[in-house]
Amino acid sequence: MRRRGSAHWVVLLALGLCCAHRARSRNVLLILADDGGFESGAYNNSAISTPHLDALARRSLTFRNAFTSVSSCSPSRASLLTGLPQSHTTCCCPREGPVGLSRSGREGEAEKTPLGAGHLSLNQGPKNSGDEWEQAGRDPGCRVVPWLTAFPPQHQNGMYGLHQDIHHFSSFDGVQSLPLLLGRAGIRTGIIGKKHVGPETVYPFDFAYTEENGSVLQVGRNVTRIKLLVRKFLQTLDDRPFFLYVAFHDPHRCGHSQPQYGTFCEKFGNGESGMGWIPDWTPKTYNPQDVLVGGPLTMSPRRLPTLPPLQSGGQALLGTHSPASGCVPYFVPDTPAARADLAAQYTTISRMDQGIGLVLQELRGAGVLNDTLVIFTSDNGIPFPSGRTNLYWPGTAEPLLVSSPEHPQRQGQVSEASVSLLDLTPTILDWFSIPYPSYTIFGSKTVELTGQSLLPALEAEPLWTTVFGSQSHHEVTMAYPMRSVYHQGFRLVHNLSFRMPFPIDQDFYVSPTFQDLLNRTVAGQPTGWYKDLHHYYYRERWELYDRGQDPWETRNLATDPRYTQVLQLLQARLAKWQWETQDPWVCAPDGVLEEKPSPKCWPLHNEL
């Protein structure tokens, strides 16, 4: 009996240790670039050295069609950390279940939308009903929820523009963010780097080293400091799982704020006189003639000799084209000034890449890397023309690597699914098996996540084809509201303030690229750019692009009669989404939204 009792206790002890290990084994590391793009070997840019991102890609599912919901720093970060966009939800399909696990494989009929006459006419949408509207509202593999008419318009997040200084935008006090929910569920939370959101009560972290209590250069660009802070976080771990958010400040521009360190702070910490020294960084400088275009359009196994053959949806992925040596991204002027700008950006991306390697090594050394979901992405497009603050492809398309130790079957593959950064909060909640709470911010309308977990995509390719986007502000002076929908290769952009010139933010204005573009335009010299400033400033109200035939988005098809049906269906889809998600701008620019007795657009007769 004694022997049997001892064996019994050994079994119980083993089971207890196993269960304790499982309870501690699910962690999350979220790594965010600041104004980062596709400048990495993981996305077929062979001119830049990013060995650590490339190695992470070999252990990840690489998303080729990932998009931010808003192309501005604070709004994007707030959206990422809440699953709620800056003004309304941004996704292609409603969630099922408490967290919204998947858009694929759901059955059910789309609901017909009870639109009153004139509602969509104010937004240039078709007066659809029946089958035509049902087609516009349906997404393959997902069920469309009924149109929400019973509730007044509601802001979802409230972070309309930048958080810092005079801009002073903040999320609503009642928002329940990811770190708040994780902390309540017993997950230890930490942030290292650029926070750029508030208030603190909405975004609390147990462990925080950010610009709020230190230098953003030190916590966001000094990779040695970042490494030591990660080590400190891991050394103070208790038995709880953890969520660690490492938000690099690279490769953000710094010509506006710290010009002594170069246009991208590429000189910061390089050991030169007055620049300081980052011990763990080996600076790499790049020749302006060596910059290359990279990104999803160039992704092909032939361009990634250091990676295993990339697969997409179970089939070999063929790139649209391969970049030629010395070719800048299509949306950047091909001039010496712009090439030098890109070369400086490459240096800071290389520093971030080395920092990512240090962060991952700290997790590996602590014995927790193999228990950790690792996600890498960026907040918005790169700070070049058509990039950040725009809803074109260069402003919204983001790198996204998702590496799960529990989902090895698609590691090293590429997904074609259209996904949003709003999907990251549902993904992380799903990873920790935490349901999203039922609560309200304004009125009686329950806040809901409309993103979905990406974990099912790590097992099989989903049929996700639609994402929405919105932009309202960047700096406080940059009001230029836009809404967009990207569906099956077509992008529709609605410029609500189309009679105003498109605004330019401060740090991009002083950049070598934009100053050179201004000077060349004023002097009447060739700009080396695919656009001109007049058409960049003054945009049509509706812009429709077929990216399959026009990947540069230069041929606006909105007035082409051959695309009338496509235009109307996307307009209807966009308007329906705005109504469903309580967008305060749903009636703009030619109507006013009145909430009582029921939400309705009233015409302004303003000749628009």
Side-chain angles (χ1 to χ4, degrees):
M1 290 292 293
R2 187 172 300 168
R3 265 193 214 123
R4 292 176 61 188
S6 299
H8 178 70
W9 282 111
V10 168
V11 171
L12 288 178
L13 178 60
L15 288 173
L17 290 175
C18 177
C19 293
H21 173 70
R22 283 201 301 268
R24 292 193 301 266
S25 65
R26 284 196 156 216
N27 311 304
V28 172
L29 170 64
L30 174 59
I31 304 173
L32 190 70
D34 195 358
D35 293 359
F38 300 99
E39 299 77 24
S40 68
Y43 281 92
N44 271 19
N45 189 321
S46 58
I48 186 171
S49 175
T50 54
H52 302 289
L53 276 174
D54 300 349
L56 180 60
R58 290 195 288 270
R59 306 191 304 273
S60 303
L61 179 61
T62 299
F63 287 88
R64 174 171 154 128
N65 291 299
F67 299 93
T68 181
S69 65
V70 53
S71 191
S72 176
C73 305
S74 295
S76 177
R77 291 162 190 266
S79 298
L80 185 153
L81 289 174
T82 63
L84 306 172
Q86 44 107 6
S87 60
H88 40 78
T89 51
T90 312
C91 180
C92 75
C93 197
R95 61 188 181 91
E96 293 273 353
V99 179
L101 298 185
S102 177
R103 283 185 290 203
S104 62
R106 303 294 184 185
E107 296 181 357
E109 295 299 318
E111 299 285 344
K112 301 259 177 80
T113 305
L115 289 174
H119 277 211
L120 280 180
S121 64
L122 287 172
N123 292 279
Q124 301 298 305
K127 298 177 183 178
N128 284 324
S129 61
D131 292 340
E132 187 177 9
W133 178 268
E134 188 174 18
Q135 180 182 1
R138 186 189 295 276
D139 198 15
C142 68
R143 180 169 63 85
V144 179
V145 295
W147 183 60
L148 304 176
T149 58
F151 306 105
Q154 169 188 319
H155 300 261
Q156 290 287 316
N157 181 322
M159 186 76 72
Y160 294 110
L162 298 180
H163 177 61
Q164 82 280 9
D165 302 331
I166 62 171
H167 313 293
H168 202 57
F169 289 99
S170 291
S171 292
F172 297 119
D173 292 339
V175 169
Q176 297 195 23
S177 71
L178 179 63
L180 184 67
L181 296 176
L182 294 180
R184 288 177 180 172
I187 309 298
R188 187 166 184 265
T189 60
I191 179 173
I192 298 169
K194 183 176 176 179
K195 188 176 183 182
H196 214 32
V197 294
E200 172 67 23
T201 53
V202 172
Y203 301 98
F205 287 88
D206 300 323
F207 180 98
Y209 285 84
T210 72
E211 74 276 11
E212 294 180 355
N213 57 6
S215 164
V216 70
L217 294 179
Q218 294 298 328
V219 298
R221 300 190 194 262
N222 184 341
V223 296
T224 297
R225 174 70 169 155
I226 294 169
K227 176 193 74 173
L228 296 176
L229 288 173
V230 171
R231 183 178 301 173
K232 181 177 181 179
F233 175 79
L234 295 174
Q235 288 176 343
T236 55
L237 280 177
D238 46 34
D239 290 337
R240 292 177 293 170
F242 69 79
F243 167 69
L244 179 59
Y245 174 37
V246 178
F248 286 90
H249 194 25
D250 284 332
H252 195 285
R253 290 187 180 277
C254 71
H256 172 65
S257 55
Q258 296 102 6
Q260 68 273 25
Y261 295 122
T263 58
F264 280 91
C265 275
E266 69 276 9
K267 300 177 183 179
F268 174 72
N270 68 0
E272 295 179 0
S273 176
M275 297 296 103
W277 177 54
I278 300 175
D280 289 288
W281 178 37
T282 302
K284 290 185 66 68
T285 57
Y286 290 87
N287 189 320
Q289 298 306 312
D290 292 337
V291 296
L292 284 173
V293 60
L297 289 180
T298 67
M299 293 179 72
S300 164
R302 295 187 300 274
R303 300 301 300 174
L304 290 174
T306 61
L307 298 180
L310 293 177
Q311 302 290 318
S312 174
Q315 302 295 323
L317 176 67
L318 299 178
T320 304
H321 68 279
S322 296
S325 178
C327 178
V328 302
Y330 71 88
F331 52 92
V332 177
D334 193 353
T335 61
R339 284 176 173 272
D341 221 6
L342 287 167
Q345 181 205 36
Y346 278 23
T347 296
T348 59
I349 292 172
S350 176
R351 179 171 57 207
M352 179 186 69
D353 179 78
Q354 293 179 41
I356 290 172
L358 293 170
V359 170
L360 294 176
Q361 182 56 42
E362 289 299 315
L363 268 67
R364 186 178 294 110
V368 295
L369 183 59
N370 291 334
D371 301 321
T372 301
L373 178 71
V374 180
I375 302 172
F376 168 78
T377 188
S378 180
D379 54 352
N380 46 247
I382 65 174
F384 285 88
S386 295
R388 186 187 63 197
T389 74
N390 286 273
L391 292 186
Y392 303 125
W393 184 91
T396 58
E398 302 300 336
L400 179 60
L401 309 178
V402 180
S403 177
S404 166
E406 299 180 11
H407 300 82
Q409 53 268 53
R410 298 200 68 194
Q411 291 181 355
Q413 295 185 9
V414 173
S415 174
E416 298 281 356
S418 295
V419 300
S420 168
L421 297 192
L422 293 174
D423 298 331
L424 296 187
T425 283
T427 299
I428 294 168
L429 291 177
D430 186 15
W431 178 259
F432 287 120
S433 299
I434 299 173
Y436 193 70
S438 176
Y439 72 100
T440 63
I441 300 176
F442 300 112
S444 59
K445 176 66 179 74
T446 300
V447 175
E448 294 185 355
L449 294 180
T450 55
Q452 72 296 311
S453 172
L454 299 177
L455 296 186
L458 304 183
E459 300 176 355
E461 181 72 1
L463 298 175
W464 301 339
T465 60
T466 311
V467 290
F468 294 89
S470 65
Q471 181 83 16
S472 300
H473 285 268
H474 180 62
E475 295 167 356
V476 69
T477 58
M478 292 179 62
Y480 196 88
M482 301 173 284
R483 302 294 181 262
S484 70
V485 55
Y486 178 73
H487 177 66
Q488 294 184 350
F490 284 93
R491 183 185 308 280
L492 178 68
V493 179
H494 187 193
N495 298 305
L496 278 64
S497 298
F498 64 100
R499 290 194 173 177
M500 292 175 57
F502 184 79
I504 305 298
D505 62 271
Q506 291 176 315
D507 69 342
F508 176 53
Y509 179 82
V510 300
S511 70
T513 296
F514 192 72
Q515 285 298 305
D516 183 62
L517 181 59
L518 282 177
N519 294 335
R520 288 172 176 268
T521 299
V522 172
Q525 298 174 351
T527 62
W529 194 31
Y530 78 131
K531 292 185 177 182
D532 61 70
L533 275 181
H534 176 80
H535 290 95
Y536 188 71
Y537 289 145
Y538 296 97
R539 308 179 179 191
E540 299 297 327
R541 175 172 178 176
W542 295 100
E543 297 182 73
L544 175 66
Y545 301 106
D546 178 359
R547 283 189 49 81
Q549 301 297 321
D550 177 26
W552 292 7
E553 299 174 330
T554 58
R555 298 191 297 273
N556 186 3
L557 305 174
T559 59
D560 189 328
R562 295 173 298 176
Y563 291 86
T564 298
Q565 184 178 11
V566 175
L567 174 67
Q568 290 179 344
L569 289 177
L570 291 181
Q571 285 176 326
R573 198 180 189 93
L574 183 59
K576 181 175 185 288
W577 165 74
Q578 288 183 272
W579 279 109
E580 286 178 345
T581 56
Q582 312 299 300
D583 183 1
W585 280 267
V586 66
C587 300
D590 46 11
V592 171
L593 177 64
E594 293 292 347
E595 300 177 7
K596 296 179 180 180
S598 63
K600 185 177 179 181
C601 292
W602 293 89
L604 286 169
H605 302 294
N606 56 6
E607 302 180 9
L608 294 181

